[in-house]
Amino acid sequence: MAVLNPPRSLPGLGRAIINFLIESKRSWTEEELIEAFKPPGLNDSSTAPDGIKNTLLAFRTIGMLSLDKSGEITVCDPVADDGTILTPAKFRRALQIHAVNLERDGDPWQTRPGEGHTSGARDLARALSWFLAQDALGRPLSWTDNVQTLQQAQFPGQSNETWAITNDTRWGAFSRWALALGMASPSLLLRAKTSLVPLPVVAIDDVLDELPAGQSPIGDFLARLTTKLPILHGGLVRTSLAESLPGGDPDPGIAKDCADSSVGQALRVLEDRGRLVLDTLPDADGVRLSRFDSNRQTHVTLLRGGGR
């Protein structure tokens, strides 16, 4: 199984189904859930239930839903450990944890084509790690504009089977999941309003409350961050991607001995929102957050509260 194929999985619908199951306090079959979420007469097309079926399959694949031998679907622990419905933020963090689970999937870049190549959420982890390795300060990403050409230039060989995102159908599914996970931001440009920017502000903000408050060296802070989100630069998934590409890590910031552009820009946004403070202290190691910066940041002070 895979997350991006079948292509009609809907993360937002997944949250609605999970909360429905939590509130109902019982298990349901797939047929019962289809009838509940697509009642007869709402849409009689033969493909109308596909969004629900695909979503149930995807959430079973990442371990947030389970299917027992009798055909009943339940919410997995610890997703529903306290019996309360998931707020958008709590659902998104659970989605991040289950979508990138290295204990379950291992290194997604060290598998061969076949069932093992896409089992669990390996296809999604590969897609996210490649997407976040692109230039957050460059043009927004879309399939027809630059995603194909970037992959052609970065991946070895002529076959798209080596790519992180193999076709436009999977790019469409990826776009929904990347936004739902907080790993992407929609473009603010009208001409590129359907494009994505590799700017994981929301995802990084989600994990800040799990990190120790107060001041720490920026290297320590980034290491803790990548432990929580291993698809970011410095994490296992991103490191393995860079090792598999002939040209190494494609991010221009990394090439200029700076922070990864996605992370660097996200930290700037979060500083503007009052979630953290970036400092430059004398006689301390630091890193430039952008290839356009002249100063190195040496410490990060993580604040509680602030804008979200």
Side-chain angles (χ1 to χ4, degrees):
M1 293 190 289
V3 176
L4 302 181
N5 184 26
R8 294 181 65 180
S9 57
L10 304 168
L13 177 60
R15 176 178 171 243
I17 291 173
I18 286 173
N19 282 341
F20 176 79
L21 290 170
I22 291 173
E23 287 193 304
S24 71
K25 301 186 184 303
R26 72 175 181 89
S27 55
W28 292 61
T29 65
E30 181 178 281
E31 291 73 20
E32 289 173 331
L33 286 171
I34 290 173
E35 186 172 355
F37 282 86
K38 195 211 74 65
L42 180 63
N43 184 345
D44 293 327
S45 168
S46 60
T47 62
D50 288 354
I52 301 171
K53 291 179 179 179
N54 288 184
T55 300
L56 291 172
L57 180 59
F59 277 80
R60 285 169 47 205
T61 297
I62 64 175
M64 293 183 73
L65 294 176
S66 64
L67 177 69
D68 65 21
K69 294 181 179 179
S70 64
E72 294 188 325
I73 296 173
T74 55
V75 181
C76 297
D77 293 331
V79 177
D81 56 354
D82 60 1
T84 60
I85 63 172
L86 304 184
T87 64
K90 186 176 180 181
F91 170 77
R92 188 172 55 246
R93 183 65 186 125
L95 199 63
Q96 294 162 3
I97 293 169
H98 285 78
V100 185
N101 185 332
L102 300 184
E103 291 186 7
R104 178 192 65 214
D105 297 337
D107 182 349
W109 289 107
Q110 297 301 315
T111 61
R112 297 180 179 180
E115 179 61 26
H117 195 56
T118 58
S119 64
R122 288 172 176 169
D123 62 336
L124 180 59
R126 284 193 296 271
L128 287 167
S129 63
W130 176 82
F131 173 77
L132 291 170
Q134 307 311 304
D135 188 6
L137 296 170
R139 293 166 61 187
L141 299 178
S142 70
W143 181 260
T144 55
D145 189 19
N146 48 17
V147 169
Q148 293 182 86
T149 54
L150 285 169
Q151 291 189 102
Q152 285 173 342
Q154 294 172 16
F155 284 94
Q158 301 299 314
S159 173
N160 67 347
E161 291 302 315
T162 65
W163 294 3
I165 306 169
T166 56
N167 55 49
D168 59 342
T169 300
R170 294 191 182 187
W171 169 257
F174 169 77
S175 297
R176 294 191 295 273
W177 281 86
L179 289 168
L181 287 160
M183 302 292 182
S185 300
S187 173
L188 298 179
L189 302 176
L190 288 177
R191 64 178 180 80
K193 61 181 179 180
T194 60
S195 303
L196 298 179
V197 179
L199 192 60
V201 175
V202 175
I204 292 176
D205 195 8
D206 286 335
V207 305
L208 290 184
D209 287 337
E210 300 173 15
L211 304 181
Q215 188 180 80
S216 62
I218 193 167
D220 293 348
F221 173 83
L222 293 175
R224 295 187 188 109
L225 193 61
T226 54
T227 299
K228 299 290 185 180
L229 298 170
I231 52 177
L232 299 181
H233 180 263
L236 183 147
V237 184
R238 172 67 171 273
T239 300
S240 186
L241 163 67
E243 291 173 349
S244 70
L245 298 178
D249 198 299
D251 183 79
I254 299 303
K256 295 292 186 180
D257 193 29
C258 302
D260 168 72
S261 65
S262 295
V263 174
Q265 293 309 298
L267 295 185
R268 289 292 193 198
V269 173
L270 291 168
E271 183 180 39
D272 288 342
R273 294 181 181 178
R275 290 286 279 152
L276 51 84
V277 176
L278 298 163
D279 292 309
T280 301
L281 303 183
D283 301 322
D285 294 332
V287 61
R288 290 183 295 149
L289 293 185
S290 163
R291 59 192 186 274
F292 305 111
D293 288 348
S294 57
N295 294 328
R296 292 179 175 269
Q297 307 299 322
T298 66
H299 287 74
V300 178
T301 301
L302 183 57
L303 308 174
R304 292 296 180 232
R308 284 184 177 269

